[in-house]
Amino acid sequence: MTATTTNSSYKSNTPKPKSSFKKLAQHKHKAYQLFSSSSGLTLDELVTDDETRFLWLVNFHQIGIGTQGTVGELLDGTMGVEEWWEFLNKPYVLVAFSTSLLASQALHHLSDLTTQLPLSRVYPIYVSPARPACVPPFLAQLTELDPPQPVTDEVIAGRRIKSWRNGVSLIEDFVTEAEEAAILEGVWSEEGWSRDLSNRQSRHAGPIFDYTTFSSSKLSHPIPPYLEGVMGRLPLLEKELERGEKIDQLTVQYYPAGTGIPPHVDTHSAFGESLFSLSLLSTVPLVLTPCSTPEAIRMRLPKRSLITPTPSSHLSLPLSTPPPPNPSNRPFSLPLPPRSLLVLTGEARYGFTHEIPPRASDQCGGRVVRRETRGRVSVTFRSV
């Protein structure tokens, strides 16, 4: 099996001048150098001349077409394709075929598509057989930030509720589509709130939090009516309910597409234990990472924490199977779909940073998916 180049959007039988072949050779050399450096392996470790059922599409993301549809279009008509995997911010795609014979035939099929637009307009995609031994480590990259298996995954009152051992819970469809629309209309109608969705915007209600002193003042902004109903049904911890605590502070934020949130832990001293985040408009991944410094580890479950490292059985929601105490201690990424409510308590609240990476696309299994252009609205609820 040998390497070839392809570009499926253009065909021509016009011979190319020698200068073009020289440029192609130079570009191919640079493309494979980048392939090697970005993967952390040598070309001998990545490609092979032996029979294999895996092919690399090299230089793929460099031309800005790394989407599922485009990969499918490129491989349309190629027999035996079982699966392909894209890698976030990497210039290659891995394709698996059902047999090595069909992979070999695919090389010939793709070579029929060889010829490309002038180099000033678009670069070609290079195709090479992948060494089977290097495939498992690449596929492992796709799952290294997958969340661990939830210890509870139940549907209660029409809502799917997933809970993890470190104090994270996710309630899907916490608000209905009609409620989401009413909240968004209320947000867009706020005085001083622009419908220009190109800039980040925020507003606060309840006791005013001073970001310079990390404390709350006695001054307070009224809670907007369109969020009062949501606040009233937030699932506080049982001990919080027993003590008469209530959610009395919120922050509404609009994030344009691609905007992120730096890693942080919400202030321990200013706010209560339960932290709620309602996501609206679009899905983004939240990355939770255990605090690594000795001081942060000591504060992972401060004395003020009302629970052990077993979160969701302590929510006021009637979960039927309490999770065993076994906190997760590795970073993981959790997609937050529209209308979902994220709940952080215990270890996740005090000993994990949470962040949203600032980028235009996200890794979703074996696909690179662009974030929705309409951005995201979040409403964070706390008790002061």
Side-chain angles (χ1 to χ4, degrees):
M1 301 177 76
T2 57
T4 187
T5 61
T6 181
N7 184 295
S8 60
S9 62
Y10 182 80
K11 294 183 180 181
S12 171
N13 295 319
T14 306
K16 297 199 173 296
K18 292 183 179 180
S19 59
S20 294
F21 284 115
K22 183 177 180 180
K23 289 181 180 179
L24 283 171
Q26 291 173 341
H27 182 267
K28 181 177 180 179
H29 178 69
K30 291 180 180 178
Y32 275 89
Q33 281 186 324
L34 179 60
F35 176 33
S36 175
S37 62
S38 62
S39 67
L41 298 175
T42 66
L43 289 179
D44 286 340
E45 294 171 313
L46 291 166
V47 301
T48 181
D49 289 327
D50 299 330
E51 289 190 354
T52 173
R53 67 185 190 91
F54 300 99
L55 296 180
W56 289 113
L57 305 183
V58 180
N59 199 41
F60 195 82
H61 289 165
Q62 295 304 102
I63 60 176
I65 60 172
T67 65
Q68 179 179 352
T70 307
V71 179
E73 292 170 8
L74 177 66
L75 298 175
D76 185 35
T78 305
M79 297 292 293
V81 175
E82 282 192 340
E83 181 63 288
W84 69 82
W85 299 275
E86 301 173 82
F87 302 85
L88 186 64
N89 298 326
K90 301 295 184 180
Y92 46 77
V93 173
L94 180 63
V95 185
F97 293 82
S98 55
T99 67
S100 58
L101 175 61
L102 290 172
S104 178
Q105 292 173 351
L107 277 175
H108 295 291
H109 169 71
L110 294 172
S111 67
D112 290 339
L113 303 177
T114 303
T115 66
Q116 61 288 320
L117 293 170
L119 287 178
S120 61
R121 295 180 59 187
V122 68
Y123 287 130
I125 297 169
Y126 304 104
V127 184
S128 291
R131 189 173 294 278
C134 77
V135 171
F138 276 92
L139 298 187
Q141 295 175 21
L142 300 177
T143 59
E144 62 184 0
L145 281 181
D146 281 4
Q149 287 294 322
V151 290
T152 59
D153 187 348
E154 305 176 87
V155 177
I156 299 175
R159 300 187 182 99
R160 185 179 182 185
I161 305 173
K162 294 183 286 187
S163 305
W164 287 265
R165 292 187 178 96
N166 64 344
V168 178
S169 293
L170 185 68
I171 307 174
E172 297 181 6
D173 295 310
F174 186 76
V175 296
T176 65
E177 291 185 12
E179 289 175 315
E180 178 186 42
I183 293 171
L184 292 172
E185 183 56 35
V187 170
W188 305 143
S189 301
E190 288 283 354
E191 183 177 355
W193 193 284
S194 172
R195 288 183 180 263
D196 176 9
L197 302 185
S198 60
N199 297 311
R200 181 171 171 174
Q201 303 178 69
S202 64
R203 74 150 293 176
H204 306 275
I208 299 173
F209 181 72
D210 189 334
Y211 286 90
T212 59
T213 63
F214 293 98
S215 61
S216 297
S217 71
K218 295 182 180 180
L219 299 176
S220 179
H221 295 304
I223 301 297
Y226 54 84
L227 287 170
E228 289 178 347
V230 175
M231 288 184 68
R233 64 175 195 259
L234 294 173
L236 286 163
L237 297 170
E238 291 176 357
K239 290 185 179 180
E240 289 175 316
L241 294 173
E242 292 171 2
R243 289 170 19 173
E245 296 184 17
K246 63 179 181 179
I247 300 298
D248 54 7
Q249 199 253 20
L250 65 84
T251 301
V252 182
Q253 303 251 27
Y254 170 73
Y255 300 96
T259 305
I261 304 172
H264 68 283
V265 176
D266 283 52
T267 305
H268 293 190
S269 57
F271 303 117
E273 176 150 355
S274 295
L275 179 68
F276 304 95
S277 179
L278 179 66
S279 295
L280 306 173
L281 274 183
S282 61
T283 300
V284 295
L286 183 84
V287 178
L288 295 114
T289 305
C291 298
S292 57
T293 65
E295 178 62 19
I297 292 174
R298 282 197 296 271
M299 295 184 68
R300 180 165 292 183
L301 275 177
K303 292 181 180 179
R304 71 174 65 87
S305 178
L306 300 176
I307 65 171
T308 62
T310 59
S312 304
S313 58
H314 299 269
L315 294 176
S316 56
L317 295 167
L319 298 181
S320 61
T321 53
N326 184 15
S328 171
N329 60 358
R330 68 170 179 84
F332 64 90
S333 178
L334 183 64
L336 304 179
R339 300 178 296 283
S340 66
L341 182 73
L342 174 74
V343 186
L344 300 181
T345 58
E347 186 182 13
R349 165 70 174 89
Y350 294 117
F352 276 67
T353 64
H354 53 273
E355 66 177 299
I356 293 177
R359 57 197 182 205
S361 301
D362 296 301
Q363 184 81 56
C364 297
R367 300 289 182 263
V368 173
V369 179
R370 291 192 64 84
R371 292 186 186 174
E372 295 186 47
T373 57
R374 57 183 178 173
R376 171 178 175 263
V377 170
S378 74
V379 187
T380 303
F381 301 92
R382 311 176 184 90
S383 59
V384 175

